[in-house]
Amino acid sequence: MTPLNTAPNIDDPDGFYAELVAAHDGLTPDDSAALNARLILLLANHIGDRATLRDAIEAAKRPNFSG
Amino acid sequence: MLDDRYPLAFRLYPYQQAPDQSHEAHHPVVVLGGGPVGLATALDLGLQGIPVVLLDDHEGPGQGSRAICFAKRTLEIAQRYGCGTPMVDKGVVWNLGKVFRDDAKLFEFNLLPEDGHRFPAFINLQQPYFEKFLFERIEAAIADGAPIDIRGKNRVDGVETRDDLVRLEVTTPDGPYALTTDWLIGCDGAGSPLRKRMGLGFEGQVFEDNFLIADITMDGDFPTERWFWFEPWFKSGASTLLHKQPDGVWRVDFQIGWDIDRDEELKEDKVRARLDAMLGPEVSYDLVWTSIYTFQCRRMTTFRQGRVIFAGDAAHQVSPFGARGANSGIQDADNLGWKLGLVLSGQAPESLLDSYDSERRLAADENILNSTRSTEFITPKTPASRMFRDAVLDLAQDHPFARPLVNSGRLSLPSTYDGSPLNGEDALPDGPARTRPGSPCPDAPLGEGFLLDQLGGGFVLLTLNAGDPAPLEMHGLNVATLNLTGALQPDLRDRYLGPAGSAVYLIRPDQHVAARWQTFDPERVVQALATATGHGS
Ligand SMILES: Cc1cc2nc3c(=O)[nH]c(=O)nc-3n(C[C@H](O)[C@H](O)[C@H](O)COP(=O)(O)OP(=O)(O)OC[C@H]3O[C@@H](n4cnc5c(N)ncnc54)[C@H](O)[C@@H]3O)c2cc1C
């Protein structure tokens, strides 16, 4: 398995972040949630590794917990 | 009173007075319920020469088909009983499924069944036919001397369980009588009066949705495929399934929501309004059968209570998505039959029956898990679940990766009894995972026929390029041998040898692998046989 990489890994973080937020411009909360769901599925498939995905789900459930 | 609770599709076993209605007789085994599972259980035992009495409160299967999809493993078991072929001949074989949302086809899938099996992955066949073929096989077996006694219009109205026997009170058109038995097999369906009478729990999840089934014959031009709509444009249901059955009958299944008036929705004009919207005004059709069902996923905490053993829907109930009800019930019969046979003949300790409980509970949990997942996808329970479901459907048309996530019912597959106390050694280095101990033997072409045909209904030692061992005997138990040597056919090699040059398999009467080795060592085989028959430590 590839361990979940939580170290900085995105080039141009500000640019990525702006793009992510801009994708939701003008959307209703429901449409925005739907977009997020599609995005999660696309990214999850790209990662593929079940153990890495499980780690990511766990990390997302405990945002303030390190380790 | 002994009125039918439902109209019959076939009157197979009309009531006849049995000789022991005048006095209390004792029988080694009584099967309660003549649905698919009760019939299969009686047939399995009868073919072993074990006297069995089956009591059903009707005289044949009810009209209207509940189950329509019968899986390959069920057909293989039926073939072992001698009635797989008529089922396949009558059944509809289908391979192509299409998934729609609204008015768009999202994708299609081909079941692409693996080559080298006698039976297809699935057939569609009305449940009353399935039961009729089992019954006809029972009649033929009786003619050959199998001690099977099927008693129609015999309703069990009382049960008394003791340490040494079970006593039943039976109501018939000629009045009540009583009988006793060593073993009672409860196959009296999801509502199991026996289970209730014994005060046994049946816990699980109720799904808050109703499904309207309309079986129709029509002149419409639909191919032999499974069509499933999420949120169909014709708005006749939140989801809709269309599937072909024999005799030109189509199953249409509409998901119609929780807060409905059953009687109202079953009125013919209401049903026709849904069908007209779906099929278009130009298609004419006849209604064969309509019904509304809800479902539960639940099971008993244990399938054995002393001398009472539960099988089929009485023991576990799943949602119909994935066709695991009757299919898993037949595997219960397959699992129980030989164990009870060995216990009754004194060749195995009673504790062998506890392995029926543990193996089939494992299988029930697997079936419940799978059908619950399908149900959750088709009828999402929470806003988040619905959001992801819709996201999957949004993506499935353009992105192949999302298609395997679409779950409109998964193929019913037999369980592998991993961790079963009956499993012996797995001593075949790099042996194929699909034939590890606990696995149901995959079929493979053998000579002009198929492997499973050669695996009879007893213990078999299957050897592949591992010499020519003679049949074994232990505690009066015979182990036949099937020694295959020389250039083996590729499917057989892939499924049983893998990279190994030779292999030896001990196979149970229900065609599950008990243990396997690279070479033949009689002592280890005897040890595995002891383990597989409940003599192990
Ligand atoms: C809509 C629907 C679709 C389905 N589709 C599929 C499918 O495609 N594939 C699949 O595998 N499964 C399917 N199933 C499930 C399948 O129908 C059941 O799992 C199957 O019928 C269970 O068989 P059984 O023998 O355990 O019980 P049952 O078929 O319910 O038989 C029980 C028998 O016991 C008798 N009985 C009850 N009480 C007494 C008594 N006191 N005395 C004497 N007799 C009694 C009854 O009359 C009946 O004959 C479906 C179910 C539904 C509702």
Short mmCIF file of all heavy atoms in Angstrom, two decimals, chain B residues 380-409:
data_model
loop_
_atom_site.label_atom_id
_atom_site.label_comp_id
_atom_site.label_asym_id
_atom_site.label_seq_id
_atom_site.Cartn_x
_atom_site.Cartn_y
_atom_site.Cartn_z
N PRO B 380 -31.47 4.88 -1.24
CA PRO B 380 -30.56 5.46 -0.25
C PRO B 380 -31.32 5.97 0.98
O PRO B 380 -32.38 6.55 0.83
CB PRO B 380 -29.89 6.62 -1.00
CG PRO B 380 -30.15 6.38 -2.44
CD PRO B 380 -31.43 5.60 -2.52
N LYS B 381 -30.74 5.70 2.16
CA LYS B 381 -31.46 5.99 3.39
C LYS B 381 -31.17 7.37 3.96
O LYS B 381 -31.96 7.89 4.73
CB LYS B 381 -31.09 4.95 4.47
CG LYS B 381 -31.64 3.56 4.15
CD LYS B 381 -33.14 3.53 4.18
CE LYS B 381 -33.78 2.52 3.27
NZ LYS B 381 -33.11 2.05 2.10
N THR B 382 -30.05 7.96 3.63
CA THR B 382 -29.71 9.26 4.20
C THR B 382 -29.38 10.22 3.06
O THR B 382 -29.07 9.79 1.95
CB THR B 382 -28.47 9.15 5.10
OG1 THR B 382 -27.35 8.76 4.28
CG2 THR B 382 -28.65 8.13 6.22
N PRO B 383 -29.44 11.52 3.36
CA PRO B 383 -29.09 12.49 2.31
C PRO B 383 -27.67 12.26 1.76
O PRO B 383 -27.45 12.37 0.56
CB PRO B 383 -29.20 13.83 3.02
CG PRO B 383 -30.18 13.60 4.14
CD PRO B 383 -29.96 12.18 4.58
N ALA B 384 -26.73 11.91 2.64
CA ALA B 384 -25.35 11.71 2.16
C ALA B 384 -25.27 10.49 1.24
O ALA B 384 -24.60 10.51 0.21
CB ALA B 384 -24.40 11.56 3.34
N SER B 385 -25.97 9.44 1.64
CA SER B 385 -25.97 8.23 0.83
C SER B 385 -26.58 8.51 -0.54
O SER B 385 -26.08 8.09 -1.58
CB SER B 385 -26.77 7.15 1.58
OG SER B 385 -26.95 6.02 0.80
N ARG B 386 -27.63 9.27 -0.53
CA ARG B 386 -28.29 9.65 -1.78
C ARG B 386 -27.37 10.52 -2.64
O ARG B 386 -27.30 10.37 -3.86
CB ARG B 386 -29.57 10.39 -1.42
CG ARG B 386 -30.17 11.10 -2.56
CD ARG B 386 -31.65 10.81 -2.70
NE ARG B 386 -31.95 11.02 -4.11
CZ ARG B 386 -32.83 10.34 -4.78
NH1 ARG B 386 -33.46 9.36 -4.19
NH2 ARG B 386 -33.06 10.61 -6.03
N MET B 387 -26.63 11.40 -1.99
CA MET B 387 -25.74 12.29 -2.73
C MET B 387 -24.67 11.49 -3.47
O MET B 387 -24.39 11.72 -4.65
CB MET B 387 -25.10 13.26 -1.73
CG MET B 387 -24.15 14.26 -2.34
SD MET B 387 -23.41 15.26 -1.03
CE MET B 387 -22.34 14.05 -0.26
N PHE B 388 -24.08 10.51 -2.78
CA PHE B 388 -23.04 9.71 -3.44
C PHE B 388 -23.65 8.81 -4.51
O PHE B 388 -23.07 8.59 -5.56
CB PHE B 388 -22.25 8.89 -2.41
CG PHE B 388 -21.20 9.70 -1.71
CD1 PHE B 388 -21.31 10.01 -0.36
CD2 PHE B 388 -20.10 10.19 -2.40
CE1 PHE B 388 -20.35 10.78 0.28
CE2 PHE B 388 -19.13 10.96 -1.77
CZ PHE B 388 -19.26 11.26 -0.42
N ARG B 389 -24.83 8.26 -4.23
CA ARG B 389 -25.50 7.42 -5.22
C ARG B 389 -25.70 8.21 -6.51
O ARG B 389 -25.36 7.78 -7.61
CB ARG B 389 -26.85 6.95 -4.65
CG ARG B 389 -27.49 5.76 -5.35
CD ARG B 389 -28.10 6.04 -6.70
NE ARG B 389 -29.25 6.92 -6.73
CZ ARG B 389 -30.52 6.51 -6.66
NH1 ARG B 389 -30.78 5.25 -6.51
NH2 ARG B 389 -31.50 7.39 -6.75
N ASP B 390 -26.24 9.43 -6.34
CA ASP B 390 -26.49 10.25 -7.53
C ASP B 390 -25.20 10.64 -8.23
O ASP B 390 -25.14 10.72 -9.45
CB ASP B 390 -27.31 11.48 -7.15
CG ASP B 390 -28.75 11.12 -6.79
OD1 ASP B 390 -29.16 9.98 -7.10
OD2 ASP B 390 -29.46 11.97 -6.21
N ALA B 391 -24.16 10.87 -7.43
CA ALA B 391 -22.87 11.23 -8.04
C ALA B 391 -22.34 10.07 -8.88
O ALA B 391 -21.81 10.27 -9.98
CB ALA B 391 -21.87 11.61 -6.94
N VAL B 392 -22.50 8.86 -8.37
CA VAL B 392 -22.06 7.68 -9.14
C VAL B 392 -22.83 7.62 -10.46
O VAL B 392 -22.26 7.41 -11.53
CB VAL B 392 -22.27 6.38 -8.33
CG1 VAL B 392 -22.13 5.15 -9.21
CG2 VAL B 392 -21.29 6.32 -7.17
N LEU B 393 -24.15 7.82 -10.37
CA LEU B 393 -24.97 7.76 -11.59
C LEU B 393 -24.62 8.90 -12.55
O LEU B 393 -24.59 8.72 -13.77
CB LEU B 393 -26.46 7.79 -11.24
CG LEU B 393 -26.99 6.59 -10.45
CD1 LEU B 393 -28.46 6.78 -10.09
CD2 LEU B 393 -26.81 5.28 -11.22
N ASP B 394 -24.32 10.10 -11.98
CA ASP B 394 -23.92 11.23 -12.83
C ASP B 394 -22.67 10.88 -13.65
O ASP B 394 -22.52 11.32 -14.78
CB ASP B 394 -23.55 12.45 -11.96
CG ASP B 394 -24.77 13.11 -11.32
OD1 ASP B 394 -25.89 12.85 -11.78
OD2 ASP B 394 -24.57 13.87 -10.35
N LEU B 395 -21.78 10.14 -13.03
CA LEU B 395 -20.48 9.88 -13.67
C LEU B 395 -20.48 8.64 -14.56
O LEU B 395 -19.64 8.51 -15.45
CB LEU B 395 -19.40 9.71 -12.58
CG LEU B 395 -19.06 10.96 -11.76
CD1 LEU B 395 -18.28 10.57 -10.51
CD2 LEU B 395 -18.27 11.97 -12.58
N ALA B 396 -21.45 7.72 -14.32
CA ALA B 396 -21.35 6.38 -14.92
C ALA B 396 -21.44 6.38 -16.44
O ALA B 396 -20.86 5.52 -17.11
CB ALA B 396 -22.40 5.45 -14.33
N GLN B 397 -22.17 7.34 -17.00
CA GLN B 397 -22.34 7.31 -18.45
C GLN B 397 -21.01 7.61 -19.16
O GLN B 397 -20.66 6.91 -20.11
CB GLN B 397 -23.40 8.33 -18.87
CG GLN B 397 -23.85 8.15 -20.30
CD GLN B 397 -25.09 8.96 -20.63
OE1 GLN B 397 -25.54 9.80 -19.83
NE2 GLN B 397 -25.66 8.73 -21.79
N ASP B 398 -20.28 8.59 -18.68
CA ASP B 398 -19.04 8.99 -19.37
C ASP B 398 -17.78 8.36 -18.81
O ASP B 398 -16.76 8.34 -19.49
CB ASP B 398 -18.89 10.52 -19.30
CG ASP B 398 -19.93 11.22 -20.16
OD1 ASP B 398 -20.49 10.55 -21.06
OD2 ASP B 398 -20.19 12.41 -19.92
N HIS B 399 -17.85 7.90 -17.58
CA HIS B 399 -16.62 7.43 -16.93
C HIS B 399 -16.75 5.97 -16.51
O HIS B 399 -17.44 5.65 -15.54
CB HIS B 399 -16.31 8.28 -15.70
CG HIS B 399 -16.16 9.73 -16.01
ND1 HIS B 399 -15.04 10.24 -16.63
CD2 HIS B 399 -16.99 10.78 -15.83
CE1 HIS B 399 -15.18 11.55 -16.80
NE2 HIS B 399 -16.36 11.90 -16.33
N PRO B 400 -16.07 5.10 -17.22
CA PRO B 400 -16.19 3.66 -16.93
C PRO B 400 -15.90 3.31 -15.47
O PRO B 400 -16.49 2.37 -14.94
CB PRO B 400 -15.16 3.01 -17.85
CG PRO B 400 -14.93 4.00 -18.94
CD PRO B 400 -15.19 5.36 -18.36
N PHE B 401 -15.03 4.07 -14.81
CA PHE B 401 -14.66 3.70 -13.44
C PHE B 401 -15.88 3.66 -12.52
O PHE B 401 -15.92 2.91 -11.53
CB PHE B 401 -13.60 4.66 -12.88
CG PHE B 401 -14.16 5.86 -12.16
CD1 PHE B 401 -14.52 5.77 -10.81
CD2 PHE B 401 -14.35 7.07 -12.81
CE1 PHE B 401 -15.06 6.86 -10.14
CE2 PHE B 401 -14.89 8.16 -12.15
CZ PHE B 401 -15.24 8.06 -10.81
N ALA B 402 -16.88 4.50 -12.80
CA ALA B 402 -18.03 4.60 -11.89
C ALA B 402 -19.00 3.43 -12.06
O ALA B 402 -19.85 3.20 -11.21
CB ALA B 402 -18.75 5.93 -12.09
N ARG B 403 -18.89 2.69 -13.16
CA ARG B 403 -19.89 1.65 -13.44
C ARG B 403 -19.87 0.50 -12.44
O ARG B 403 -20.94 0.05 -12.01
CB ARG B 403 -19.73 1.14 -14.88
CG ARG B 403 -20.05 2.27 -15.86
CD ARG B 403 -19.74 1.94 -17.28
NE ARG B 403 -19.76 3.20 -18.05
CZ ARG B 403 -19.29 3.34 -19.27
NH1 ARG B 403 -18.74 2.30 -19.91
NH2 ARG B 403 -19.34 4.51 -19.86
N PRO B 404 -18.69 0.05 -12.04
CA PRO B 404 -18.71 -1.03 -11.02
C PRO B 404 -19.30 -0.58 -9.68
O PRO B 404 -19.66 -1.41 -8.86
CB PRO B 404 -17.23 -1.38 -10.84
CG PRO B 404 -16.53 -0.82 -12.02
CD PRO B 404 -17.34 0.35 -12.49
N LEU B 405 -19.40 0.75 -9.46
CA LEU B 405 -20.00 1.23 -8.22
C LEU B 405 -21.52 1.20 -8.28
O LEU B 405 -22.19 1.27 -7.25
CB LEU B 405 -19.52 2.66 -7.92
CG LEU B 405 -18.02 2.84 -7.70
CD1 LEU B 405 -17.68 4.33 -7.59
CD2 LEU B 405 -17.57 2.13 -6.43
N VAL B 406 -22.08 1.16 -9.48
CA VAL B 406 -23.53 1.10 -9.64
C VAL B 406 -24.00 -0.27 -9.17
O VAL B 406 -23.55 -1.29 -9.68
CB VAL B 406 -23.95 1.33 -11.11
CG1 VAL B 406 -25.46 1.16 -11.27
CG2 VAL B 406 -23.52 2.72 -11.57
N ASN B 407 -24.88 -0.27 -8.18
CA ASN B 407 -25.28 -1.55 -7.57
C ASN B 407 -26.79 -1.73 -7.67
O ASN B 407 -27.54 -1.26 -6.84
CB ASN B 407 -24.81 -1.58 -6.11
CG ASN B 407 -24.98 -2.94 -5.48
OD1 ASN B 407 -25.71 -3.79 -5.98
ND2 ASN B 407 -24.32 -3.16 -4.36
N SER B 408 -27.22 -2.42 -8.71
CA SER B 408 -28.65 -2.70 -8.83
C SER B 408 -28.91 -4.18 -8.56
O SER B 408 -29.87 -4.77 -9.03
CB SER B 408 -29.15 -2.32 -10.23
OG SER B 408 -28.58 -3.16 -11.22
N GLY B 409 -28.05 -4.78 -7.74
CA GLY B 409 -28.16 -6.21 -7.40
C GLY B 409 -26.93 -6.92 -7.91
O GLY B 409 -26.58 -6.79 -9.07
#
